[in-house]
């Protein structure tokens, strides 16, 4: 038990949990709403497969406990934004900014910017312990509202935000051009130095993939056109993957899969990442 606690909590093993079973249960009931994992899942590639290990420790979030709001309750985000807006003292404003960044992974400088982000996403947010104890939008396949093209076509600003994707070590931007009945999507990747993704057909466990949600106006017509590939099917640096499309419409939606790796680790695979762009002629 002692080894397991040290593995989970590091040097900050709560003294009370070394007591009786009742003490441990009481401590957990009191602190469970504020426990979070301060770290990440780290992957390493070996023999064509990726193996993950936990990197980090459990901690009690004193910021959330100070507000007495559980870290899986969206009310925590609303309270932090309100504290940031009021800005009654530096301590509460700094705490609010820490909480918002910690539990969303987002970076915004003002209360109004955080409020805009929350209003855009609140109806879809859920708390994910698997994804680093963060809130994230639930916009996966099967969500009828999320699958509606009208949802994404409300404003040009919304489309601009949806046409770009930022993940650890990788930025992707989608643009779509149509010439008569022929349309082509352009996925412009920019990887941090030393990182790569695996091209289609490389044989890696998580190679690049692309498709369109069923029932949308544009569908993938043929295999993507991939630039020159390095050793072991790796794509480095800045490059463009073009995707021939068939169909019609003012907006095109694509779902992409990839995984960013370097010589030390592989980040978590990105699957079904949604990119949406206006179709330009």
């Amino acid at each position: 038990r002692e080894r397991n606690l040290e593995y989970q909590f590091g040097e900050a093993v709560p003294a009370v949990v070394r007591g009786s079973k009742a003490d441990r249960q009481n401590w957990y009931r009191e602190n469970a709403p504020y426990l979070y994992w301060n770290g990440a899942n780290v992957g390493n590639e070996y023999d064509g497969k990726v193996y993950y290990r936990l990197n980090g420790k459990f901690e009690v979030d004193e910021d959330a406990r100070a507000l007495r709001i559980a870290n899986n309750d969206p009310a925590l985000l609303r309270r932090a934004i309100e504290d940031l807006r009021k800005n009654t003292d530096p301590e509460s404003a700094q705490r609010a900014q820490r909480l918002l960044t910690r539990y969303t992974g987002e970076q915004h400088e003002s209360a109004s910017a955080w409020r805009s982000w929350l209003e855009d996403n609140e109806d879809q947010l859920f708390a994910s312990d698997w994804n680093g104890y963060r809130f994230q939008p639930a916009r996966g396949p099967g969500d009828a509202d999320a699958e509606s093209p009208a949802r994404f076509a409300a404003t040009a600003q919304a489309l601009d935000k949806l046409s770009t994707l930022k993940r650890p070590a990788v930025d992707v931007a989608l643009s779509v051009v149509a010439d008569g009945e022929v349309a082509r999507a352009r996925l412009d990747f920019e990887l941090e130095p030393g990182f790569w993704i695996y091209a289609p057909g490389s044989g890696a466990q998580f190679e690049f993939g692309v498709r369109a949600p069923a029932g949308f106006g544009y569908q993938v017509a043929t295999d993507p056109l991939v630039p020159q590939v390095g050793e072991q099917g790796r794509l480095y640096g800045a490059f463009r993957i073009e995707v021939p499309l068939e169909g019609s419409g003012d907006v095109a939606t694509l779902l992409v899969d990839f995984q960013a790796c370097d010589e030390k680790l592989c980040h978590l695979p990105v699957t079904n990442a949604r990119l949406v762009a206006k179709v330009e002629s």
Side-chain angles (χ1 to χ4, degrees):
R1 186 180 69 215
E2 186 72 17
R3 286 196 302 270
N4 185 53
L5 286 169
E6 290 178 355
Y7 176 76
Q8 298 289 347
F9 288 91
E11 297 177 357
V13 178
V16 68
V17 302
R18 292 191 169 98
S20 67
K21 180 178 180 180
D23 288 339
R24 293 195 299 275
Q25 290 175 332
N26 288 336
W27 180 90
Y28 182 77
R29 278 193 292 268
E30 180 182 344
N31 291 281
Y34 317 117
L35 278 176
Y36 79 104
W37 183 261
N38 188 3
N41 289 332
V42 177
N44 292 93
E45 183 187 7
Y46 176 74
D47 195 24
K49 295 183 179 180
V50 180
Y51 299 87
Y52 293 98
R53 60 182 175 84
L54 293 174
N55 180 26
K57 301 295 177 184
F58 275 111
E59 294 182 7
V60 177
D61 188 346
E62 298 297 340
D63 290 332
R65 183 154 67 178
L67 300 180
R68 302 188 66 82
I69 303 175
N71 59 14
N72 60 358
D73 186 344
L76 183 67
L77 304 181
R78 294 192 290 270
R79 169 64 186 274
I81 291 172
E82 183 63 14
D83 286 350
L84 197 61
R85 185 189 68 80
K86 289 180 178 178
N87 197 22
T88 54
D89 63 86
E91 183 178 348
S92 64
Q94 291 167 10
R95 179 179 61 206
Q97 194 69 261
R98 287 195 301 268
L99 285 167
L100 290 166
T101 301
R102 180 178 302 146
Y103 290 111
T104 67
E106 295 282 322
Q107 295 283 346
H108 301 288
E109 297 299 325
S110 66
S112 60
W114 278 112
R115 170 56 61 188
S116 295
W117 176 85
L118 186 61
E119 288 175 351
D120 288 343
N121 294 279
E122 189 169 17
D123 63 336
Q124 290 285 320
L125 285 182
F126 73 100
S128 171
D129 54 358
W130 183 86
N131 194 30
Y133 282 73
R134 288 180 176 177
F135 289 92
Q136 64 184 58
R139 290 181 178 146
D143 183 337
D145 186 40
E147 292 292 327
S148 169
R151 177 183 180 86
F152 300 113
T155 67
Q157 184 179 10
L159 281 176
D160 286 343
K161 291 172 62 177
L162 292 162
S163 66
T164 59
L165 180 71
K166 293 183 179 292
R167 291 293 186 270
V170 181
D171 291 353
V172 192
L174 171 67
S175 59
V176 183
V177 176
D179 183 7
E181 296 182 357
V182 178
R184 182 164 293 185
R186 299 167 177 169
L187 291 164
D188 289 303
F189 281 78
E190 187 169 346
L191 277 60
E192 291 182 6
F195 280 86
W196 67 80
I197 68 170
Y198 286 103
S202 62
Q205 184 175 5
F206 293 101
E207 59 187 37
F208 172 81
V210 61
R211 62 204 158 279
F216 274 43
Y218 282 100
Q219 296 293 311
V220 174
T222 61
D223 291 339
L225 307 176
V226 180
Q228 184 174 358
V229 176
E231 61 175 337
Q232 299 179 318
R234 297 172 178 178
L235 292 166
Y236 293 87
F239 56 87
R240 171 176 290 177
I241 295 177
E242 296 195 348
V243 185
L245 303 176
E246 58 185 5
S248 61
D250 297 326
V251 175
T253 302
L254 292 180
L255 306 174
V256 297
D257 306 327
F258 57 85
Q259 184 175 33
C261 300
D262 69 1
E263 297 296 344
K264 295 182 179 179
L265 62 87
C266 286
H267 288 291
L268 289 172
V270 175
T271 59
N272 290 324
R274 185 185 302 271
L275 287 161
V276 184
K278 182 179 179 182
V279 178
E280 305 286 352
S281 57

